[in-house]
Amino acid sequence: EVQLLESGGGLVQPGGSLRLSCAASGFTFRSYAMSWVRQAPGKGLEWVSAMSGSAGSTYYADSVKGRFTISRDNSKNTLYLQMNSLRAEDTAVYYCAKDAVPASLGVGYFDYWGQGTLVTVSS
Amino acid sequence: EIVMTQSPATLSVSPGERATLSCRASQSVSSNLAWYQQKPGQAPRLLIYGASTRATAIPARFSGSGSGTEFTLTISSLQSEDFAVYYCQQYNIWPPESTFGQGTKLEIK
């Protein structure tokens, strides 16, 4: 059974940093691209960042480029999101999502999602 | 950036009836479109990919159609568990871009 378990969310002040983790199990982690998708309170879904299975390629939404860094440790089956210079508009539930196809860069749609971790940016 | 626009924002339908949800892309995304269902407090669930292919274990009452810029999700006979928010997502220029619609809330009439 595929499982994705996010952790690391919490309350942080504007300008602060936070590191999210996503522990994966039930599939060959290194074979799949992984993404972070966020959802602000009461709002829709926004793709944030993705990383290829081999960890050789990374992609970011313009809204987080230069502030967020995605990484993964395939030996630990874990995906990370380092978030720096946080802003109030980064407040959201952050989901870890598995790409649906075992290709290095994936296909861009997601067949499994974690339950999410809430990040609140406020003073 | 490709903008995805869903309509209507809220759809009220009675159980047992058919629901039709629409999604429009600001430019062609071919058939690179997915639909997700999200219930309160839960993660999204993949329903449809490739515009019309049902994901694993998705009931046959869910169907998707369309290509280019116009897409439709149809639920043929609404069950109580189908009342939720539905999102479309384009992945035509992946990587690096993937964009979601703003969602359609399907509520009980």
Side-chain angles (χ1 to χ4, degrees):
Chain A
E1 179 192 6
V2 172
Q3 290 193 335
L4 299 171
L5 184 61
E6 302 95 337
S7 61
L11 175 64
V12 61
Q13 292 188 339
S17 298
L18 213 54
R19 189 196 198 199
L20 306 183
S21 299
C22 171
S25 61
F27 64 102
T28 305
F29 183 68
R30 65 179 179 274
S31 295
Y32 290 84
M34 297 292 294
S35 283
W36 290 97
V37 178
R38 69 184 179 183
Q39 186 170 36
K43 303 297 184 182
L45 301 168
E46 180 189 17
W47 172 78
V48 171
S49 182
M51 185 166 223
S52 62
S54 64
S57 300
T58 58
Y59 306 93
Y60 299 94
D62 287 343
S63 58
V64 306
K65 202 171 292 182
R67 299 187 300 122
F68 289 12
T69 302
I70 190 172
S71 62
R72 63 193 292 165
D73 185 337
N74 287 343
S75 69
K76 295 182 178 179
N77 289 352
T78 303
L79 180 73
Y80 303 99
L81 186 67
Q82 177 67 44
M83 304 185 294
N84 299 331
S85 302
L86 282 161
R87 307 166 180 167
E89 54 265 36
D90 296 318
T91 294
V93 173
Y94 284 74
Y95 294 102
C96 165
K98 170 186 167 292
D99 200 275
V101 174
S104 181
L105 297 178
V107 288
Y109 61 91
F110 315 115
D111 59 352
Y112 287 93
W113 300 59
Q115 283 304 300
T117 187
L118 176 62
V119 172
T120 303
V121 184
S122 174
S123 54
Chain B
E1 175 185 315
I2 298 176
V3 178
M4 306 302 292
T5 302
Q6 293 185 240
S7 61
T10 303
L11 182 61
S12 300
V13 183
S14 300
E17 294 188 341
R18 173 187 298 258
T20 302
L21 289 68
S22 296
C23 175
R24 174 176 292 179
S26 60
Q27 64 189 74
S28 177
V29 298
S30 186
S31 295
N32 295 310
L33 186 107
W35 289 94
Y36 299 85
Q37 176 193 68
Q38 187 179 35
K39 297 179 181 179
Q42 296 186 16
R45 173 194 183 196
L46 177 66
L47 298 175
I48 300 284
Y49 62 92
S52 61
T53 302
R54 279 190 304 278
T56 302
I58 301 303
R61 64 180 181 273
F62 291 90
S63 63
S65 63
S67 65
T69 62
E70 301 284 342
F71 300 89
T72 300
L73 174 69
T74 302
I75 311 171
S76 60
S77 178
L78 280 164
Q79 308 296 304
S80 57
E81 62 267 28
D82 300 335
F83 293 96
V85 179
Y86 291 83
Y87 294 95
C88 63
Q89 177 215 12
Q90 70 81 16
Y91 50 94
N92 190 54
I93 47 175
W94 177 271
E97 187 181 315
S98 165
T99 48
F100 292 88
Q102 81 280 17
T104 291
K105 182 180 181 181
L106 181 58
E107 63 177 27
I108 301 175
K109 186 175 182 180

